[in-house]
Amino acid sequence: MENPDSRSISEIESEQQASTEEVVSLAKNSEFDREIFTEFAVLLDKFTPVLVAIKDNEKLMDRPPVKKGVESIEKELTRAKKLIEGACSRSPIKQIVVVTQELGRSLGLVLFASIDASTEVKQDIAALHRELMNVKFDISFTPSPSPSPSLGSSPCVIHGPRPSKESGFVSEQGSFINEIEEEKISLSIDDVVLQLKYGNDEEFRLALLVLSDFIRDKVIDKEWIHEEDIIPILFNRLGSSKPHNRLTIIQILRILALDTDENKEKMTDVVCLSGLVKSLARDADEGREAVGLLSELSDISAVRRRIGRIQGCIVMLVTMLNGDDPTASHDAAKLLIALSSNTQNVLHMAEAGYFKPLVHCLKEGSDMSKILMATAVSRMELTDQCRASLGEDGAVEPLVKMFKSGKLEAKLSALNALQNLSNLTENIKRLISSGIVSPLLQLLFSVTSVLMTLREPASAILARIAQSETILVKQDVAQQMLSLLNLSSPAIQYNLLQALNSIASHSSASKVRRKMKENCAVQLLLPFLTESNIKIRSAALNLLYTLSKDSPEEFMEQLGESYLINIVNIISSSASESEKAAAIGIVSNLPVSNKKSTEVLKKLHFLPILISLMSSGASTSTKTWLEESIAGVLIRFTIPSDKKLQLLSAELGVIPILLKLLASESSVAKCRAAISLAQLSQNSVALRKSRKSRWTCMPPSADTFCQVHDGYCVVKSTFCLVKAGAVPPLIQILEGEEREADEAVLNALATLLQDEIWESGSLYMAKTSAVQAIIRVLESGTVKAQEKALWILERIFSIEEHRSQHGESAQAVLIDLAQNGHPRLKSTVAKVLARLQLLQDQSSYF
């Protein structure tokens, strides 16, 4: 037989159900002592629902005492089966009584260990336990037993001692249950009261069990409960009791609360309620019972009033509401609804992150209540999750309604609340959908002195709303904001500038930007460059930077020399990195061909300022913007048509800065740096010192000889990419995953293949990893980048040695480009294929 200890309690329960049914069937069909076995079968029939209830309670099944009790029941069922199967002319009534009572004792152990099971389950177990322990079979029709045969001669006789005397668990646990039962029976009502008041933990637990039995069996009535002060006694012991006793106390209190309203009234004292609130934060079972009791008490107004004032109560209720226990969550929700009749409680719930009662007040409350709730929302330090909850629960719409139709105090509280909620993108969409934009603009245009206090929060909300591209459907919003700039206070000006920049920055806002410039936006903004308020000046610079991206020539005309000087002064003196980045960005957007602006910048020593900024580094938040802007400006100072300017730039240290920018995280910065390096490298051939020429001073160092340029190269005077160490980082960009800088990088590398030096340049690139990197561009680059890559490969593959070394790795990509590539590439691909002797020169591809 399988060792019971190796099976789970669920398996034991399933086997017992089958055993019970088998024993019942045997008992009903027994040919001997039919009446006794029929009564016994009726009792066993009642076991099945009890066993199912125990099996369905996972927590109950995990307890060792329950498992031992269940195993004991299994043994007794086996003994009963043997009794029935061995029944003969001798009546087995005494053995049946013993087995029945042993079953009762085993069930009593399960009852003792399941004090915190559901009331229904405990009542079912207790009822069957009592019935088994008090069993009396009707023997009036039972024949007298035959004379007892000798031991061992009859299968009807159970050999050995009675079950209660067996060694092992059954004896031990049966004795334990008997002891508990005897102690319970020995306790009088007066003893129960005394032990409830003064007993130690074990005595107190026993008294609780007896009290529970008394209440269930209706041994005591409500008068006795009242006269003996049972409820105050239980509450008095609640705080100092052990966990299992606290749970039992609360369960008993729940039964009493459901019994009479008078009992409920005895539980409304703040001390009693505080004890129950403490239980909310304890064990899950205790918390579930405590919130259930509090929920049942909440129909009393005094309870609702007092509970809300108990520290931590509402926070714990909200926690339980959001917890995994459905029963506790349901009761917590019911209690929170009951408490929400008090305004202060609603505010506490909101502070704990439960906003539905607050939103209900905003929708259905009195005018004063709505103002109070809106003011609370405006003052809360909300997380994005809380803002999302308020938006989802419907807070935005009633607040907008308050702003549109309420009186001054309601408007102000609603706007401040909406300002807090508008920090979340989802709520911005709700604000636009609610139709708030036009009323906000009307308010900003208002000259009524009473409404002046509303203009600042209104402008702040507009600044947030402008972050959504949806605002572009509102025609002329930007123009209306522009017209308000010079009519507003500094705080409102700042918000309007923020809003205008957000609107102008949207990818689909090109028409808006054009219209803003047509309405003299640049002229309106330029005076802000001399503003002493740094926030306003920075906001104006940001907007000017956004507007400078379109039509740079037109923007340069509007800017003028004086304001360009102002911008350079801001870059050299401002302590704000973001302000510097915006100002440098404006300069980088100015047309490179405008020599006048270049001269102004030279006079202002602008280049050393930029190099100093790059050398000092920048914080993470503005680093990318600064690097992109500086790289853009350096294109102006490296144009190939002005060698003197290039020499000045190189002398000041531009080339190391460009190399540093090649390692930037920004593809834009990398691209712009590569453009500058390409511009410098275009003049390297002309600036090199031929090795055939005679130098009047000391001969050049051998280290300065460049194999690509076939002469002596010094970085600061010839801008040689090879000597500058620029080729490896350029190739590394091609080997990366980003493709934005490919064309600029290839243009820089192509300067090493100019007509005068293409053979030495090809040899240099073939020795590096450049060829494979260029082939990679053919696979995934843009059409322009592919075009430049093909031009470079056509030159490299003009030499037999390079064709042999790298031609095979390029074949598959080139053939794919020939078949599926852009039509613009067709001719160039054919030339490269011809170099690799994969296509005849007279092919139609040419």
Side-chain angles (χ1 to χ4, degrees):
M1 180 177 174
E2 185 183 8
N3 182 0
D5 292 338
S6 67
R7 296 171 292 163
S8 70
I9 191 168
S10 178
E11 291 172 334
I12 295 172
E13 289 283 3
S14 299
E15 290 175 12
Q16 279 188 15
Q17 283 181 243
S19 296
T20 303
E21 291 171 4
E22 183 183 1
V23 174
V24 168
S25 177
L26 285 171
K28 288 180 177 177
N29 297 316
S30 175
E31 296 179 2
F32 300 96
D33 299 300
R34 186 180 297 275
E35 292 82 0
I36 293 174
F37 284 129
T38 300
E39 288 185 51
F40 184 58
V42 171
L43 286 173
L44 289 182
D45 261 333
K46 298 178 181 179
F47 255 93
T48 300
V50 171
L51 293 174
V52 170
I54 296 171
K55 183 180 177 182
D56 290 343
N57 190 324
E58 293 181 3
K59 189 167 183 180
L60 194 60
M61 290 171 65
D62 287 338
R63 297 183 177 171
V66 173
K67 185 174 181 180
K68 289 181 180 180
V70 170
E71 289 172 352
S72 179
I73 291 172
E74 183 182 29
K75 290 181 180 179
E76 296 308 321
L77 286 171
T78 302
R79 296 182 77 252
K81 181 180 176 183
K82 289 181 180 178
L83 266 176
I84 297 168
E85 287 176 339
C88 58
S89 58
R90 180 180 181 276
S91 173
I93 184 168
K94 290 182 179 179
Q95 290 96 326
I96 288 295
V97 170
V98 170
V99 169
T100 304
Q101 289 179 343
E102 289 299 330
L103 284 169
R105 289 189 181 95
S106 300
L107 196 61
L109 180 62
V110 175
L111 176 62
F112 178 74
S114 57
I115 189 65
D116 56 343
S118 70
T119 304
E120 184 180 354
V121 170
K122 286 191 297 183
Q123 287 176 347
D124 290 344
I125 297 174
L128 183 55
H129 168 249
R130 284 196 306 275
E131 192 169 357
L132 293 169
M133 294 303 297
N134 299 321
V135 66
K136 289 182 181 179
F137 291 110
D138 184 1
I139 59 171
S140 57
F141 298 101
T142 304
S144 299
S146 302
S148 178
S150 61
L151 290 176
S153 64
S154 172
C156 299
V157 179
I158 304 288
H159 299 292
R162 287 177 49 183
S164 61
K165 301 296 184 182
E166 289 176 358
S167 61
F169 167 75
V170 176
S171 175
E172 181 184 339
Q173 296 301 329
S175 175
F176 179 61
I177 292 296
N178 286 335
E179 185 179 336
I180 292 174
E181 290 297 326
E182 288 172 6
E183 289 184 18
K184 287 168 66 176
I185 293 169
S186 67
L187 282 181
S188 67
I189 291 179
D190 293 337
D191 291 335
V192 169
V193 176
L194 283 173
Q195 290 192 10
L196 287 175
K197 287 181 179 179
Y198 311 114
N200 59 31
D201 287 329
E202 290 306 317
E203 292 170 340
F204 181 62
R205 178 155 182 76
L206 186 62
L208 286 175
L209 293 175
V210 175
L211 177 62
S212 181
D213 287 347
F214 284 172
I215 294 170
R216 183 186 62 241
D217 298 337
K218 301 189 182 303
V219 173
I220 54 178
D221 55 22
K222 60 183 179 180
E223 285 76 16
W224 183 85
I225 297 286
H226 172 68
E227 290 170 1
E228 297 295 340
D229 285 333
I230 296 300
I231 291 174
I233 291 172
L234 292 176
F235 271 110
N236 188 49
R237 294 294 299 262
L238 180 62
S240 59
S241 293
K242 289 186 176 181
H244 57 270
N245 286 344
R246 288 199 304 266
L247 180 62
T248 307
I249 289 171
I250 299 172
Q251 289 171 335
I252 291 172
L253 288 171
R254 287 193 72 178
I255 294 170
L256 295 176
L258 291 171
D259 193 27
T260 68
D261 289 341
E262 186 180 358
N263 287 344
K264 280 187 180 182
E265 289 293 339
K266 290 179 179 292
M267 302 179 193
T268 60
D269 180 81
V270 70
V271 176
C272 300
L273 297 173
S274 297
L276 291 173
V277 168
K278 288 179 182 177
S279 289
L280 295 177
R282 289 177 173 144
D283 176 77
D285 292 337
E286 184 177 342
R288 185 192 313 114
E289 294 294 337
V291 74
L293 178 52
L294 287 169
S295 176
E296 288 153 10
L297 296 175
S298 64
D299 57 352
I300 301 172
S301 59
V303 171
R304 295 194 297 272
R305 186 172 62 254
R306 290 165 186 165
I307 289 178
R309 295 174 184 170
I310 299 173
Q311 187 175 7
C313 176
I314 287 177
V315 173
M316 280 307 305
L317 289 175
V318 172
T319 302
M320 297 180 88
L321 173 71
N322 298 322
D324 298 327
D325 187 325
T327 303
S329 178
H330 175 269
D331 287 335
K334 179 184 174 184
L335 184 51
L336 286 168
I337 291 170
L339 294 177
S340 65
S341 59
N342 181 286
T343 302
Q344 199 60 41
N345 290 342
V346 172
L347 296 178
H348 287 318
M349 292 176 202
E351 289 168 358
Y354 179 52
F355 299 105
K356 287 184 179 178
L358 182 146
V359 173
H360 178 77
C361 287
L362 286 174
K363 292 178 178 178
E364 308 293 338
S366 64
D367 290 346
M368 201 60 235
S369 176
K370 290 178 180 178
I371 291 171
L372 187 63
M373 296 302 147
T375 303
V377 173
S378 69
R379 293 175 180 173
M380 287 179 189
E381 293 185 9
L382 297 173
T383 63
D384 282 348
Q385 185 177 354
C386 290
R387 291 188 180 96
S389 294
L390 278 161
E392 290 164 5
D393 290 342
V396 172
E397 292 75 12
L399 286 170
V400 171
K401 186 177 179 181
M402 280 178 67
F403 162 64
K404 287 181 178 179
S405 58
K407 295 180 181 179
L408 179 63
E409 189 179 4
K411 287 179 184 290
L412 182 60
S413 60
L415 279 178
N416 287 329
L418 289 170
Q419 184 179 348
N420 199 353
L421 295 179
S422 64
N423 280 315
L424 190 73
T425 303
E426 288 79 2
N427 287 340
I428 290 174
K429 295 175 183 176
R430 295 183 178 103
L431 281 166
I432 295 173
S433 300
S434 68
I436 198 174
V437 176
S438 296
L440 288 175
L441 286 169
Q442 290 172 12
L443 175 60
L444 291 175
F445 277 107
S446 173
V447 293
T448 306
S449 58
V450 179
L451 299 177
M452 287 298 177
T453 54
L454 305 178
R455 297 181 74 202
E456 185 175 338
S459 64
I461 294 170
L462 273 175
R464 302 266 170 73
I465 289 176
Q467 295 172 11
S468 170
E469 206 157 346
T470 314
I471 198 172
L472 294 176
V473 302
K474 306 288 183 182
Q475 293 185 352
D476 297 328
V477 169
Q479 319 314 320
Q480 292 180 63
M481 290 185 187
L482 275 173
S483 64
L484 286 166
L485 271 178
N486 288 328
L487 304 174
S488 305
S489 66
I492 295 173
Q493 283 179 332
Y494 173 73
N495 289 330
L496 290 173
L497 287 167
Q498 291 274 77
L500 285 164
N501 188 47
S502 294
I503 292 171
S505 298
H506 292 309
S507 57
S508 57
S510 56
K511 290 182 180 178
V512 174
R513 291 193 293 272
R514 185 173 67 249
K515 197 166 184 179
M516 285 173 69
K517 284 192 275 190
E518 289 173 358
N519 290 332
C520 305
V522 175
Q523 293 92 325
L524 188 64
L525 292 169
L526 288 173
F528 285 104
L529 297 180
T530 58
E531 174 65 54
S532 58
N533 187 315
I534 297 175
K535 285 180 65 178
I536 293 176
R537 189 177 69 202
S538 295
L541 273 169
N542 288 336
L543 181 52
L544 283 168
Y545 166 70
T546 302
L547 295 175
S548 69
K549 295 176 183 178
D550 303 326
S551 306
E553 295 84 2
E554 180 187 341
F555 183 85
M556 183 64 218
E557 290 176 11
Q558 295 174 326
L559 180 65
E561 184 177 334
S562 61
Y563 284 116
L564 181 57
I565 294 171
N566 286 337
I567 289 172
V568 174
N569 288 337
I570 289 171
I571 295 168
S572 61
S573 62
S574 176
S576 167
E577 289 182 353
S578 60
E579 189 175 29
K580 288 179 181 179
I584 297 170
I586 292 172
V587 177
S588 71
N589 288 336
L590 299 179
V592 173
S593 58
N594 190 300
K595 295 183 179 180
K596 186 177 179 181
S597 59
T598 304
E599 288 301 316
V600 172
L601 294 171
K602 280 172 61 180
K603 288 178 184 177
L604 295 172
H605 305 290
F606 187 51
L607 201 52
I609 295 171
L610 294 185
I611 293 171
S612 175
L613 274 174
M614 273 299 296
S615 301
S616 61
S619 63
T620 307
S621 58
T622 57
K623 184 180 180 181
T624 299
W625 192 6
L626 267 174
E627 287 178 345
E628 291 176 356
S629 299
I630 290 172
V633 174
L634 293 181
I635 294 173
R636 170 187 297 278
F637 287 94
T638 56
I639 55 173
S641 60
D642 192 339
K643 292 179 184 175
K644 286 185 178 180
L645 185 58
Q646 284 187 330
L647 285 167
L648 173 65
S649 300
E651 284 292 333
L652 290 172
V654 160
I655 293 176
I657 297 299
L658 291 171
L659 296 181
K660 186 177 180 180
L661 289 167
L662 288 179
S664 170
E665 294 181 1
S666 165
S667 296
V668 174
K670 291 175 184 176
C671 178
R672 290 174 176 177
I675 290 171
S676 290
L677 287 168
Q679 291 183 158
L680 289 167
S681 183
Q682 285 177 40
N683 289 324
S684 293
V685 173
L687 294 171
R688 66 184 171 173
K689 298 295 183 183
S690 172
R691 57 179 170 175
K692 296 179 181 179
S693 63
R694 293 184 177 182
W695 288 41
T696 55
C697 301
M698 63 167 51
S701 168
D703 293 339
T704 62
F705 182 74
C706 175
Q707 292 181 342
V708 174
H709 293 109
D710 194 27
Y712 295 97
C713 289
V714 179
V715 175
K716 286 189 176 182
S717 59
T718 63
F719 325 133
C720 174
L721 294 183
V722 178
K723 290 299 179 182
V727 176
L730 287 169
I731 293 174
Q732 192 173 2
I733 293 172
L734 297 181
E735 291 172 338
E737 298 299 323
E738 297 174 342
R739 306 267 61 94
E740 290 85 346
D742 284 353
E743 185 184 354
V745 169
L746 290 168
N747 284 331
L749 293 174
T751 61
L752 301 179
L753 299 172
Q754 295 177 71
D755 291 342
E756 301 93 324
I757 59 170
W758 73 270
E759 290 184 80
S760 57
S762 296
L763 178 62
Y764 175 78
M765 285 214 267
K767 288 180 179 178
T768 66
S769 59
V771 176
Q772 293 304 317
I774 293 167
I775 293 172
R776 181 184 175 91
V777 175
L778 291 180
E779 293 174 340
S780 56
T782 63
V783 174
K784 284 188 176 181
Q786 288 174 329
E787 200 168 24
K788 180 57 68 174
L790 288 167
W791 183 89
I792 293 173
L793 289 176
E794 196 266 335
R795 291 220 155 185
I796 292 174
F797 289 154
S798 296
I799 299 172
E800 173 61 31
E801 180 184 351
H802 306 332
R803 289 198 297 271
S804 302
Q805 186 178 0
H806 298 288
E808 186 176 347
S809 61
Q811 286 181 18
V813 179
L814 289 167
I815 293 171
D816 183 65
L817 271 179
Q819 295 173 344
N820 306 309
H822 195 280
R824 201 166 90 190
L825 303 175
K826 188 175 182 180
S827 174
T828 315
V829 172
K831 288 179 182 179
V832 181
L833 288 171
R835 292 290 187 195
L836 297 175
Q837 299 178 346
L838 296 173
L839 198 67
Q840 296 181 351
D841 289 345
Q842 60 267 37
S843 170
S844 60
Y845 270 91
F846 290 95

